[in-house]
Structure formats: structure tokens, C-alpha cells
Amino acid sequence: MKTPVISQAMQILTKLRNVMDEQNNVSDKLNQLTEIIIQEFGADAGACYVTIDDNYLELFSSYGYKEDISHKISIRVGDGLVGDVAKNNRSLKTSDVWKNPQFLYFPEIGEEQYKSFLGVPISRLGRAIGVITLQKKIKYEFSRSEVEILETIAMVLSDFFASSEMNELKNSLMRSRGESNKEKYKGVSLSKGYGVGVVIVHRRRNPVTKIFSEDKEQELRKLETAYVQMNNDLDEKFNSTKLGIGEHVDILDAYRMFAKDRGWYKKIADNVSGGLTAEAATERAYEDMWKRLSGTKDSYMRERLHDLRDITDRLLGYLSGDQKDSANIDAKDLIVVSQTMGPADLMDYNYNHIRGLIIEDGTPTMHVAIVAKALGIPVISKIKGIYKEIKSGEIVAIDGEEGYVYIRPSLSLQQKFKDKMAEKVKLQKRLATLRRLPSKTKDGTRINMYLNVGLAFDLDFIEKTNCDGIGLYRTEIPFMASESMPDVDQQTECYKELMDKAKNKKVVFRSLDVGSDKLLPYWSYSGEDNPAIGWRSIRITLDRRAILRKQMRSFLRAAAGKELNVMFPMIANLTEFQDAKETLLIELEKEKRKGAKVPNKLNIGLMIEVPSVVFQLEDILKEADFVSVGTNDLAQFMFACDRGNPRLSERYDVLSAPFLRIMQGIVCMANQAGVMCSVCGEMASNPIEALALIGLGYRNLSMSGSAFGKVKSMIRSTNIEDVEDYMNILLKSSKRTLRPQLISYANDHGIEIY
Ligand code: PEP
Ligand code: MG
């Protein structure tokens, strides 16, 4: 029996790479790859399965079994040993399949003579896109190192399985069977979640055909009536929509102000006075404005074009009398499809019935996406031509997790989506029952769980999660949603609202962290080549000190008589921290001198996001009251890998020795210095990553509200001493990612990772 060791693994990978780089057709390549793997492992047989339509696995290549079985065996995900590997996205081995109750026998394969089995998932984005299996004739326990080597091979194969040549092979197979795959479209997800429903195409505009009017006075009266009616209806809608307080309401208000803009109205009326019909005058006013604004680099003004188009369409609807078309839709499950949309459009529908939005020209910063997110509605954008393709009344399923839209999904797919939605609801309900239970590991270690907030909607989670406090308040979010830079009073009010909602729980305010992908609409950015490492965050606020001073003053006033915790983002060295801290302390002095009430306790900390501070941490810890690790940015700078670039998103993993070692170093130094240390990056929101963090010694995690239940459930099913030991072993590994090992550790130890 041949057992590959690490050096042999490298040889296998080299052989596989050579095959993948060849000019052969994809089926031949797959056959060769399968044969090499099985022979190199000294196995007697094996196969490669590929997932089709998320529901089934099809045998694409094999070695050692009967001949000509490729594309003749199909297994449902979840069925048998292979289906189990795909469903759980987890390796599975058994020394004798015939004794395994899960085993599913396929006489067509000719597997009677085989006993032992090893199946490893080929995964992408956390889901199995294929499975590779090995079998031996004898009873045999595949060793841990064999499993790991096959998992490494599977990782390399995943690129090949997701390649365009492989997709083309899948599509051509499906086409030849009359199962077209064209109904599945990939877009960009702007808001997560699943939804299935009946399509309502949002106001397809009829072109204006009558240009010149015969009676100006009559046209002006028609315009006035439509304009007044539109505004009355908008007022009614806004007033009756219980969206709650916060910035998404500000957005809607800003929109309403726009609708009431007399300047815009006057332009249209002038066009009517010049001889145009009210409809043509409205279009002309839009075109003039569009010409002026569309070339601007100012992202805020460009976003306003969406609102302007929306208001224009709305007024045209009132002028032609067909504005009620979309308002009458009363289906229980709606998917709204549009070219573009304004936030007020959501109010045309009962938003409790909207299961999803498809906005062809959607962007993440457009207001409707922010509002939809706050309402928990999945949104997909950037599917070219979908607006024309889809017809009202069709059934559509939306996968906001992966960014897919399925037009006319099969009944089984619809059911699958409904199951996923129900599963999510059920899981959330189950996890909500943990609310009152302590956040303690099985062996009694307390892990403090804090909340990350930004949107007003997030504030509801304070009560829902029973959190220990707010570990990160991203103050830039209300700044981004505002029409202009908020003044001290506006900021104070906003921060006070949060302090009040948090009651006496701890709140950590982060100073303005703008720049890079977080742009203020009213701020002009100079278009740097590398904005992620450019003039952003603390660099801006230290250079434009008045902004920082005003924000500090607002924090001090909002927390008067209470504890105030302030942290500074993107600090790259001790001097920057000292500068920022001094600004806060000067403002404190000024407030005191004025006789104003000040906070009764002040803690000043910083975020660890720039690798350079880690090398000055000892000195920094002498001057900081607390530190919080921003793993999103820290990882992007550690790996020199843009966090917003989807091409790189799977290349480096925070669950790898270099990153975990730096994380371990930070918490150890902070503990030695007696300084509170938390993690507020996305790592803390992801159960398997949070498991690694607590195994490294972190006891304070700050996460998004929706992650709370899952992370608490992980914490409560973990034995911390065991994980700590395991992490120390794992940190010695040189693998690109330690994720599979951690996942199987969690599975083997009954740790709940949803
Ligand atoms: C981080 O970088 O990890 C972080 C929490 O900050 P943000 O995601 O807001 O940049
Ligand atoms: Mg950051």
C-alpha cells in the first residue's frame, strides 16, 4: 500500500497542474486527473462528481469501476456517502462501506468488490461544487494525512471545477438534455437573503409621443394637478410607513424634499409655457438636468440622478393617469424588478410582501439598496438585460447570498428556496432562545459579546440580542446617509439616541472612518490610485482637525454624566494615536472650562488595522485604555489584498498561520499589559473564525446583530481548553488555509457552527 507523504503531495499537485494546463478538452483532462489521483494514492478505484443545479451530483469521470459510466450516475445532494460529503461540505471516510447505513449501492458502477471509502468535497465559497472519492478493495482506514492531502488536492481542483471550460461542459450537457441553464443569472448582491415570488416589473415607461401642446393654460393646470396629487400621495405614504427612526428615514425625507423642489417644478412649467406638453416638458427638464449632472465625478450628485429619474417617472405616471398600475399589486410574495428605482418606489408596494428586488442598474450606495437592507429585503443588481427579459407575473427566485436570480425556477427549486427561507426563520427562532443564556463556554469561560452598529435598524439588536454593549459604532454610516456634514448638535443628538438605547451598557464610538469605499456624498475625493491605502480615515480627520474636534465635542456631550469610550481607526503609529487622543482631551478641557457636564469616565483606544502598529504595540499599550482589532482591514494590509476585489477574495484566508499568529501576538501583548482587547472585524461574526479567536485567547468579540445567535451557540458548545491546545498545534501548519481542519475539529467535537 502506497501512502503519499508531503513531498509526494507536491509531486501529485505538479502532475495535476500539468494536466490542467494542457490544451486537451475538459472531459479528457478530468479523466486524466482522476486516474492520476487514484493511482498516486494507491487506491483501486474512485470518481469525480460534479454538482448540477445545486441539487444533484453527476459522475463525470471514474477509474477502476465499470467502463462508460460517466454521466450515467446521478446522486441527490444529501443521499448516500457522496451526497453526504456534498451536503455537509465535509470529508467522510469509512473502512467498510457495506457496514455503513448511509451507503447507497449503484449496481451500474460495479462497486461490489470495494470496501473502504474516502470522499472529499471540492468547494467554492463554502459550498461543495463537486466530490472526489477513493476506494480500496480491502478494509482500510484512510489516515489523517491522506485525508489532508486529498483535501489539498481538492482545493487545487476547485479552480478547475469552477472554470469557464467546466461550466461550458455542464451547460452543453444540460442543453443536450433540453434542460437549459439560461434561466439562472449571476449578478451582484446588494442585500443578502433568499426570496421567491411573483414578478412585478416596476413601471416600464411609455415614451412621450405628443410633444407640442395646443393649449398652454390647460397643460399648466394639468401639470399643477398632477404635481399636487403626487406630493399629497407621497406625504401620505411616507407618513403611514412605519420604518422607524434613523437614517433610512432621512433618505426618504430627502427624496420627498426633492419632489417638492419648486426649482424643478418651475423648469417644467417654463417648458410648458414654451409650448411643450406637460409630459414632454417633464422629460425635457430631466434631460437638461441629466446632461448637466451625468458627467460629474461627484458620486452624490450621480446618485441623485436615480432619484430624479424616479420622480420624473412618477410625475409622468400622474400626468398620464396610470400611476396606480403598480400600487394595485396585492400578491403576498412579490419580486420587484426595475431598471432603476428610488426609495419611495418601495412604498408603492406593501413592503411586508416584497420578497426581493432586482435592480438592473443598482449600486451599493444607491438609497433604495440602503433602505431595502434595513428592511431585510434581498437585492440583486448588475444583470444586464434582465429588466427586458422578465415579464410581470413570472415566478422568480432570488439568492441574495450568492447573487443569483432564477427565472421560472422548477417547482423543486422553488421548494428548495422556500425551505431555505423557512430554515433561516427556524434557525433564527431557535438561536433567539439563547438570548437569556450566558455567553459561556462549556468549561465556564465567559466571552463578552458586543454589537457592531451603523444603521439605525441595527439598534433594535441591542434588545434582541441582550448584548454586553456596542463594541463598534461606525459613526461614518449616519454621515454617509446625511445630505451634508452633520453639525455638532445633529451629531450629539444622534449619539445620544444610541447611548439612550444602550441604557447603561458600554458603547464604543469610533471616530469618522471615511475614504476608500466609504465615501461621503458631499465630500469631493481626489481620485487616488490606491484609495484603500490613501488619504482616508484618521489621516483625513487629523489633517482636517475641525471635523475631528466637532466629533469629539459631540461624543463628550452625548455621554455627559456617563462613561465614554472612543477609539480611532487606521492608526499607523504611536504619534497618530497621541495626536488624536490629545484632540479629544483638549475638547474635554474646553467643555469643562465652559462648565458643561462631561462624561464621568473616559476610555480612549484605537483599532489595530495597520500592521505597523503591531510592531509598536508595547509602547502604544502604555497609552491606550483598550484596543480593538479590525480584522477586515488588517487582513487586507497583511496580505496586500484589496478587501473589495472579488477576484482575490478566496486567495488568502484569515484562518492561516501568518494571520492567526499575528492575532495571537496582539492578544497576548494586550493581556500582559492589562489592556482590554477585542475583535470587531468580520472574523468575530463568523462562528468558525470566532472559534479560532477564542482559541487564541480573545474574550471580547464584537459582531453584527444577525450573527449573535450563531456565535453564541458556538461558544456554548465549545470547550475552551481543548480549542486552545488545538490552536497551538494548528499554528505550526504551513497550509494556505486551516479552515477545513478547524471545521472538521468543530464537527468532531460537537461544536455548533451554522
Ligand atoms: C475592520 O476593518 O475590520 C473594521 C471593523 O472596520 P471597517 O470594516 O468599518 O473598515
Ligand atoms: Mg476598518
Side-chain angles (χ1 to χ4, degrees):
M1 154 66 212
K2 207 157 125 192
T3 303
V5 289
I6 302 292
S7 62
Q8 275 176 310
M10 294 309 295
Q11 278 173 26
I12 303 177
L13 288 176
T14 311
K15 283 187 185 172
L16 298 180
R17 285 234 172 268
N18 289 341
V19 172
M20 284 189 262
D21 291 344
E22 276 170 17
Q23 291 300 316
N24 260 344
N25 82 44
V26 62
S27 295
D28 289 347
K29 281 188 199 176
L30 195 58
N31 287 333
Q32 283 182 46
L33 294 171
T34 313
E35 187 175 337
I36 291 172
I37 295 166
I38 289 152
Q39 287 187 341
E40 290 289 337
F41 269 82
D44 298 312
C48 270
Y49 295 81
V50 176
T51 47
I52 304 277
D53 194 20
D54 295 346
N55 290 320
Y56 287 92
L57 290 145
E58 183 168 307
L59 187 147
F60 267 49
S61 64
S62 68
Y63 179 82
Y65 298 121
K66 281 186 185 166
E67 290 195 351
D68 293 335
I69 53 171
S70 297
H71 307 294
K72 293 192 181 133
I73 308 291
S74 160
I75 301 173
R76 188 197 278 272
V77 170
D79 286 354
L81 300 175
V82 173
D84 185 275
V85 172
K87 183 173 173 223
N88 298 316
N89 194 21
R90 177 167 31 127
S91 304
L92 191 156
K93 59 177 184 160
T94 175
S95 58
D96 188 351
V97 289
W98 302 96
K99 295 213 172 100
N100 192 310
Q102 253 184 308
F103 175 58
L104 208 62
Y105 169 54
F106 285 93
E108 309 90 300
I109 296 183
E111 51 192 342
E112 296 76 6
Q113 32 174 339
Y114 301 103
K115 289 200 172 71
S116 60
F117 170 93
L118 168 61
V120 167
I122 294 164
S123 39
R124 194 117 188 133
L125 295 168
R127 284 188 330 177
I129 55 170
V131 172
I132 177 155
T133 63
L134 298 179
Q135 283 209 275
K136 284 176 189 281
K137 290 182 178 164
I138 52 167
K139 271 194 194 169
Y140 175 76
E141 189 72 41
F142 282 95
S143 72
R144 195 185 169 95
S145 81
E146 283 172 310
V147 177
E148 284 180 4
I149 290 169
L150 194 57
E151 282 171 349
T152 310
I153 288 170
M155 252 183 258
V156 174
L157 285 182
S158 74
D159 281 343
F160 177 66
F161 270 52
S163 64
S164 50
E165 52 180 342
M166 195 69 170
N167 274 334
E168 188 38 49
L169 172 64
K170 274 204 254 181
N171 285 344
S172 72
L173 281 169
M174 288 174 90
R175 275 196 300 273
S176 69
R177 295 167 194 166
E179 300 165 19
S180 168
N181 198 25
K182 78 172 175 33
E183 312 283 61
K184 179 179 174 184
Y185 296 87
K186 178 85 177 95
V188 172
S189 169
L190 303 183
S191 171
K192 290 193 167 195
Y194 299 100
V196 183
V198 183
V199 165
I200 162 84
V201 176
H202 182 71
R203 263 208 307 272
R204 233 184 254 263
R205 256 181 312 128
N206 292 322
V208 176
T209 45
K210 192 164 180 238
I211 310 291
F212 299 108
S213 75
E214 279 129 32
D215 183 342
K216 283 182 201 168
E217 292 310 315
Q218 195 186 332
E219 286 299 306
L220 278 173
R221 278 197 301 278
K222 186 170 131 187
L223 175 65
E224 176 74 20
T225 312
Y227 181 75
V228 169
Q229 198 189 338
M230 176 181 85
N231 273 305
N232 288 347
D233 285 357
L234 273 175
D235 282 347
E236 201 179 309
K237 262 178 211 155
F238 282 93
N239 294 337
S240 64
T241 304
K242 292 198 172 36
L243 279 175
I245 47 162
E247 63 278 4
H248 47 291
V249 176
D250 292 347
I251 290 167
L252 296 177
D253 278 343
Y255 177 90
R256 184 164 47 171
M257 295 292 291
F258 192 27
K260 287 191 170 156
D261 178 5
R262 294 303 295 184
W264 174 64
Y265 178 76
K266 189 169 174 305
K267 267 192 202 87
I268 303 172
D270 285 350
N271 291 342
V272 173
S273 301
L276 297 183
T277 58
E279 286 90 343
T282 307
E283 268 300 345
R284 169 70 62 83
Y286 170 77
E287 279 161 19
D288 288 348
M289 199 90 101
W290 190 87
K291 274 186 205 136
R292 276 203 292 120
L293 296 182
S294 58
T296 176
K297 288 212 160 57
D298 185 331
S299 58
Y300 177 72
M301 291 316 288
R302 268 188 279 115
E303 286 299 338
R304 297 287 67 70
L305 282 174
H306 286 299
D307 291 349
L308 182 65
R309 180 70 257 172
D310 180 54
I311 287 283
T312 301
D313 288 348
R314 189 169 287 270
L315 184 58
L316 286 171
Y318 279 83
L319 286 168
S320 62
D322 67 356
Q323 79 281 3
K324 291 271 179 276
D325 272 7
S326 52
N328 285 342
I329 299 298
D330 45 24
K332 219 167 78 337
D333 301 305
L334 276 182
I335 302 282
V336 181
V337 182
S338 70
Q339 185 91 47
T340 180
M341 260 183 127
D345 281 330
L346 285 185
M347 308 312 132
D348 281 350
Y349 313 94
N350 179 342
Y351 66 82
N352 284 319
H353 292 176
I354 303 181
R355 302 288 166 251
L357 294 180
I358 301 170
I359 310 173
E360 187 166 325
D361 296 338
T363 65
T365 51
M366 79 193 297
H367 286 154
V368 69
I370 298 176
V371 175
K373 229 185 207 170
L375 294 170
I377 300 170
V379 185
I380 309 277
S381 73
K382 298 258 182 294
I383 303 180
K384 211 164 178 322
I386 196 156
Y387 175 67
K388 282 212 183 102
E389 179 89 7
I390 288 188
K391 307 271 177 299
S392 280
E394 281 183 323
I395 303 288
V396 158
I398 284 192
D399 176 352
E401 306 290 318
E402 305 275 339
Y404 283 105
V405 167
Y406 298 81
I407 305 180
R408 296 179 284 276
S410 62
L411 283 177
S412 71
L413 192 61
Q414 284 180 48
Q415 192 49 48
K416 197 176 149 208
F417 265 69
K418 285 182 183 156
D419 291 350
K420 278 187 177 179
M421 280 146 61
E423 235 172 66
K424 246 185 145 169
V425 172
K426 224 161 93 191
L427 179 65
Q428 287 305 341
K429 273 195 187 147
R430 200 175 78 63
L431 294 174
T433 61
L434 300 178
R435 184 181 173 280
R436 281 277 155 222
L437 299 177
S439 164
K440 267 192 188 162
T441 59
K442 273 196 335 204
D443 45 351
T445 301
R446 166 110 175 117
I447 310 291
N448 298 316
M449 293 178 70
Y450 299 96
L451 201 60
N452 290 350
V453 301
L455 282 165
F457 179 74
D458 293 329
L459 300 186
D460 292 346
F461 284 114
I462 299 176
E463 181 53 29
K464 274 193 211 153
T465 57
N466 191 26
C467 60
D468 291 303
I470 313 289
L472 166 65
Y473 177 32
R474 290 182 161 103
T475 57
E476 61 279 2
I477 307 278
F479 272 70
M480 284 161 77
S482 181
E483 298 287 299
S484 57
M485 187 73 89
D487 62 21
V488 172
D489 287 346
Q490 286 167 324
Q491 286 188 54
T492 308
E493 195 185 325
C494 175
Y495 305 147
K496 210 170 155 322
E497 185 188 330
L498 173 61
M499 294 290 286
D500 291 346
K501 281 227 165 178
K503 301 206 171 100
N504 41 17
K505 289 181 178 175
K506 182 189 187 82
V507 175
V508 179
F509 289 99
R510 173 171 80 180
S511 75
L512 197 61
D513 184 27
V514 289
S516 188
D517 61 332
K518 291 186 274 194
L519 303 180
L520 294 182
Y522 37 85
W523 186 289
S524 79
Y525 294 85
S526 52
E528 297 165 298
D529 285 344
N530 293 305
I533 49 172
W535 194 57
R536 58 174 286 205
S537 191
I538 196 72
R539 300 166 187 183
I540 295 182
T541 50
L542 285 177
D543 290 354
R544 298 279 181 271
R545 203 62 72 101
I547 300 175
L548 190 62
R549 274 192 226 110
K550 281 186 189 163
Q551 191 173 37
M552 296 303 116
R553 217 174 300 153
S554 312
F555 288 158
L556 289 162
R557 291 180 188 174
K562 299 179 178 170
E563 176 180 301
L564 173 63
N565 302 286
V566 176
M567 71 178 172
F568 299 104
M570 284 282 293
I571 295 286
N573 55 39
L574 178 60
T575 315
E576 280 180 347
F577 178 58
Q578 286 168 331
D579 265 11
K581 187 173 166 178
E582 191 183 25
T583 307
L584 173 53
L585 293 176
I586 291 173
E587 287 309 309
L588 175 66
E589 266 322 296
K590 284 204 250 173
E591 290 292 293
K592 278 186 187 162
R593 260 189 239 159
K594 270 198 294 189
K597 193 170 173 189
V598 295
N600 57 23
K601 188 163 194 289
L602 176 60
N603 297 312
I604 308 177
L606 68 146
M607 289 189 72
I608 299 185
E609 298 183 287
V610 183
S612 57
V613 285
V614 182
F615 297 92
Q616 211 179 17
L617 201 54
E618 245 179 84
D619 299 334
I620 289 177
L621 288 168
K622 289 182 191 136
E623 303 196 22
D625 296 314
F626 65 94
V627 291
S628 189
V629 191
T631 48
N632 309 338
D633 275 315
L634 185 61
Q636 104 164 319
F637 300 132
M638 280 270 299
F639 292 119
C641 172
D642 180 352
R643 70 193 249 190
N645 186 338
R647 266 182 100 159
L648 300 176
S649 58
E650 287 179 63
R651 200 172 184 101
Y652 306 103
D653 197 345
V654 287
L655 293 182
S656 58
F659 196 76
L660 294 175
R661 279 189 205 149
I662 203 165
M663 292 299 290
Q664 189 181 43
I666 294 168
V667 73
C668 284
M669 276 196 260
N671 286 347
Q672 266 166 22
V675 173
M676 181 193 164
C677 176
S678 64
V679 174
C680 62
E682 283 307 299
M683 266 188 100
S685 295
N686 182 329
I688 192 71
E689 294 169 11
L691 173 67
L693 291 175
I694 63 173
L696 292 176
Y698 285 86
R699 298 293 176 263
N700 300 290
L701 304 178
S702 191
M703 64 205 76
S704 66
S706 52
F708 242 76
K710 294 182 202 168
V711 174
K712 196 185 244 187
S713 158
M714 177 280 288
I715 290 171
R716 290 179 53 80
S717 54
T718 295
N719 189 315
I720 198 110
E721 273 188 29
D722 292 352
V723 185
E724 283 176 346
D725 287 347
Y726 183 61
M727 285 308 292
N728 281 326
I729 298 167
L730 215 51
L731 284 182
K732 298 197 178 88
S733 165
S734 58
K735 280 188 191 311
R736 184 191 72 84
T737 170
L738 304 171
R739 196 169 291 267
Q741 284 88 326
L742 260 161
I743 293 175
S744 60
Y745 174 87
N747 288 328
D748 292 349
H749 291 78
I751 299 173
E752 290 172 8
I753 40 164
Y754 294 108

